Amino acid sequence: MSAVLDIKKLEVAYGGIKAIKGIDFHVNDGELVTLIGANGAGKSSTLRALSGLITPVGGKVTYKGQDITGVPSHALVGLGIALCPEGRGVFARLNVHENLLMGAFARKDKAQILAEVDEIYTMIPRLKERTKQMAGTLSGGEQQMLAIGRAMLAQPKLLMLDEPSMGLAPMMVEKIFEIIRLIAKRGTTILLIEQNAQLALEHANRGYVLESGEITLQGDAKVLLADPRVKAAYLGG
Amino acid sequence: MSIDVLLQQIVNGLVVGSVYALVALGYTMVYGILQLINFAHGEIVMIGALSALFVTNALIAVGVPPALALVVAILAAMIICAIVGVSIERIAYRPLRNAPRLAPLITAIGVSIFLQQVAILVFGRNYFTFPEIISKAPIQIGAITVTMNEIVILITSVALMTGLLWLVNNTKIGTAMRATAENQKVAGLMGIDINKIIAITFAIGSGLGAVAGVMVASNYGQAHYYMGFMLGLKAFTAAVMGGIGNLWGAMVGGLILGLVENVGLIFVRGDYKDIFAFVVLVAVLIFRPQGLIGEKVAERA
């Protein structure tokens, strides 16, 4: 297996304070890899650096052999990388259908786009019932589904999800993870950033544990799930 | 006051108001996307009027039929204004995009003065006569008098506004403009080049401003380097009245302002006309600061 995404010695700083202290990790083709950690461990900073929202102060990000360190976010979409941002970030004053179409902004194949929008509607029927509704009027869970559907319309080879379960009711979290599993099954490589370590590790192939800007544990997701240190710190016992 | 006078002033108000509306759209579009009051927009309108005037005269001088000359001149003015508008954004506003909001606001006032001075250098300080190409002979419709020039102004404004609404609501680029106005970061994640969208917004707003400038110049028969100041302030008032950032608001605000001004003329002498715009501005800011159809000012992510 080849690494689709390879991160070497990544460093992120805000002002003089280092949030990420030189971490290494990689995501192989077709894998679902999760980066777990407590609040403030640096998960979102890592993702922001990967997606061009902030420029890392050190290290190198390689995507399919190409150096993408500091490439602006709008240019990443064309390379096949989509980010589903923390807090969902749906366009509240655009309707559901328009939100989905914005996910396909960089593409020109209109007929294929509409076919894929229909696929999303089949996969997430809740959205189909609300195509003309403003996204701001959806529930949090529906917005998260919309954000994931929108990211899929960029036809990403690599999908990065930032805390998709945040602020959602447990039942809705289950539904979101069901959708993530479906996407992974279709062969999309996924990097999942999550606070809900239990669910993330249950679904992932491999995992990394981030603590105060450093990776402290890594390995097979099932092994991590059983690791007493992970259990103690993140799984409540 | 007779009903005939009132009807006449309503018609006059609609004509003037439709021009205010076109200019107000330029303010509101830029505000919607950058939360910036582009105080130089009035000067864009002035540049549109003056460049159209000079192109028209030059073309007529070499024997081009006046109607064709006017059409070419308007297109030329739109292109010139679009270029000026996009350049202002690129040079003056973009470097300040993450600066405190006062900085770009003061810059906008600076750009406004700068453009007036450039206009003096390029065109001169004179009041120029705008040639009467579309007839301004009075046409009697019942008790109301209009001119062909006014009819053309009204129809053109309505057509342009309809076109803009269609573009913003039904096209991919329009949807991207709305998306960018709402959340630039996420729009970037979608692959939208927000700098391009912002440039397009300035180009469209400036192009509309250019047409409005030609309308004003042809309606009053003259153009000068200072004409953008009062017009810009009034259109800004119209945009605030409607709810700044909202396209419908700018259009409704423009029409209402035109009506208030012209109906008000029944009661006061002509030289006091300009008072109404600012009375309206103060009243709106006190009683309904979000504007007539404005949403609550959106919090920025």
Side-chain angles (χ1 to χ4, degrees):
Chain A
M1 276 204 283
S2 62
V4 171
L5 187 69
D6 197 14
I7 285 93
K8 287 263 181 290
K9 306 223 174 324
L10 184 73
E11 285 178 40
V12 176
Y14 299 103
I17 298 151
K18 275 213 173 118
I20 303 294
K21 300 161 184 162
I23 59 172
D24 293 337
F25 69 97
H26 68 275
V27 184
N28 291 324
D29 195 12
E31 259 188 330
L32 199 174
V33 169
T34 185
L35 194 60
I36 57 175
N39 231 343
K43 303 188 299 293
S44 283
S45 295
T46 306
L47 207 54
R48 267 184 228 136
L50 297 185
S51 55
L53 289 175
I54 48 175
T55 311
V57 292
K60 195 171 166 186
V61 183
T62 315
Y63 169 74
K64 289 187 169 174
Q66 185 182 349
D67 185 359
I68 58 159
T69 322
V71 170
S73 55
H74 68 85
L76 291 175
V77 182
L79 298 172
I81 303 174
L83 169 69
C84 199
E86 184 184 357
R88 308 182 274 274
V90 296
F91 299 114
R93 274 170 287 166
L94 267 53
N95 66 35
V96 166
H97 192 72
E98 288 172 332
N99 264 281
L100 289 174
L101 289 182
M102 281 297 101
F105 182 82
R107 296 168 57 187
K108 304 256 180 282
D109 46 343
K110 207 168 174 208
Q112 178 65 24
I113 292 170
L114 290 176
E116 283 172 38
V117 168
D118 276 337
E119 260 178 61
I120 299 285
Y121 286 150
T122 317
M123 192 160 89
I124 316 171
R126 261 168 195 267
L127 294 183
K128 189 174 186 164
E129 296 155 23
R130 293 165 170 75
T131 48
K132 293 279 167 228
Q133 209 172 310
M134 295 291 144
T137 66
L138 300 180
S139 76
E142 288 161 354
Q143 290 190 13
Q144 185 62 61
M145 291 179 187
L146 177 59
I148 295 176
R150 183 180 65 180
M152 284 311 290
L153 273 160
Q155 285 186 323
K157 304 285 171 292
L158 172 66
L159 174 65
M160 302 196 284
L161 299 164
D162 194 355
E163 306 247 13
S165 77
M166 194 171 69
L168 300 184
M171 217 177 73
M172 199 49 102
V173 173
E174 294 280 350
K175 285 216 168 75
I176 298 291
F177 270 88
E178 212 170 283
I179 293 168
I180 295 172
R181 189 164 43 216
L182 274 175
I183 293 169
K185 225 157 87 187
R186 298 195 330 188
T188 308
T189 307
I190 298 177
L191 175 61
L192 170 66
I193 309 286
E194 250 309 333
Q195 222 173 357
N196 189 329
Q198 174 83 36
L199 267 175
L201 288 172
E202 277 174 18
H203 288 80
N205 304 107
R206 288 190 302 115
Y208 293 88
V209 178
L210 198 59
E211 248 173 88
S212 315
E214 283 168 293
I215 286 177
T216 50
L217 284 169
Q218 56 178 292
D220 186 276
K222 301 286 167 297
V223 176
L224 284 179
L225 206 49
D227 191 304
R229 284 167 297 178
V230 175
K231 269 192 172 162
Y234 303 104
L235 306 177
Chain B
M1 175 185 84
S2 75
I3 194 80
D4 290 351
V5 176
L6 181 65
L7 279 178
Q8 180 66 53
Q9 289 311 99
I10 287 176
V11 171
N12 294 351
L14 287 177
V15 173
V16 178
S18 67
V19 179
Y20 290 159
L22 276 185
V23 182
L25 282 171
Y27 280 101
T28 226
M29 286 170 73
V30 166
Y31 186 86
I33 224 156
L34 287 180
Q35 280 72 47
L36 161 73
I37 310 286
N38 177 18
F39 274 119
H41 189 58
E43 273 56 50
I44 298 273
V45 175
M46 171 272 290
I47 288 172
L50 281 171
S51 40
L53 186 147
F54 275 76
V55 173
T56 309
N57 284 340
L59 288 176
I60 291 175
V62 296
V64 177
L68 178 64
L70 182 63
V71 171
V72 174
I74 291 174
L75 292 176
M78 289 175 84
I79 293 169
I80 291 169
C81 287
I83 293 171
V84 174
V86 171
S87 310
I88 294 173
E89 189 275 320
R90 182 73 193 83
I91 297 165
Y93 301 151
R94 194 181 299 179
L96 297 172
R97 206 168 291 159
N98 297 316
R101 280 170 71 169
L102 199 54
L105 193 69
I106 293 167
T107 304
I109 295 169
V111 171
S112 161
I113 296 166
F114 172 79
L115 289 180
Q116 279 179 22
Q117 300 306 310
V118 170
I120 292 173
L121 283 175
V122 175
F123 303 109
R125 288 174 172 276
N126 299 332
Y127 279 61
F128 300 97
T129 308
F130 200 92
E132 182 179 328
I133 292 169
I134 304 170
S135 166
K136 283 201 262 184
I139 305 169
Q140 205 68 32
I141 305 174
I144 300 160
T145 312
V146 288
T147 68
M148 188 46 81
N149 197 58
E150 289 173 335
I151 293 172
V152 171
I153 287 177
L154 205 52
I155 291 174
T156 311
S157 307
V158 171
L160 286 173
M161 288 187 251
T162 312
L164 178 72
L165 282 178
W166 177 83
L167 177 96
V168 170
N169 290 319
N170 297 304
T171 65
K172 184 173 171 181
I173 207 77
T175 314
M177 285 167 76
R178 283 182 288 141
T180 306
E182 207 181 307
N183 191 334
Q184 293 188 9
K185 264 190 192 140
V186 178
L189 290 175
M190 303 294 111
I192 298 168
D193 184 347
I194 57 165
N195 285 330
K196 211 160 114 188
I197 294 292
I198 290 168
I200 291 171
T201 305
F202 270 84
I204 294 174
S206 304
L208 293 177
V211 181
V214 178
M215 288 173 171
V216 173
S218 73
N219 205 30
Y220 296 111
Q222 64 177 24
H224 51 93
Y225 79 94
Y226 203 59
M227 66 183 279
F229 177 71
M230 188 55 86
L231 185 61
L233 271 186
K234 286 186 185 171
F236 167 64
T237 304
V240 171
M241 177 161 57
I244 195 146
N246 182 308
L247 296 186
W248 278 103
M251 294 188 275
V252 171
L255 287 178
I256 292 179
L257 188 62
L259 287 172
V260 167
E261 255 187 23
N262 281 276
V263 172
L265 270 184
I266 300 172
F267 307 103
V268 298
R269 271 195 4 237
D271 1 350
Y272 289 113
K273 188 174 90 166
D274 292 341
I275 271 181
F276 292 107
F278 304 107
V279 170
V280 166
L281 178 63
V282 171
V284 168
L285 288 178
I286 292 173
F287 296 110
R288 202 173 155 81
Q290 76 270 38
L292 296 176
I293 40 183
E295 305 130 54
K296 287 254 154 60
V297 173
E299 73 286 2
R300 300 215 67 188

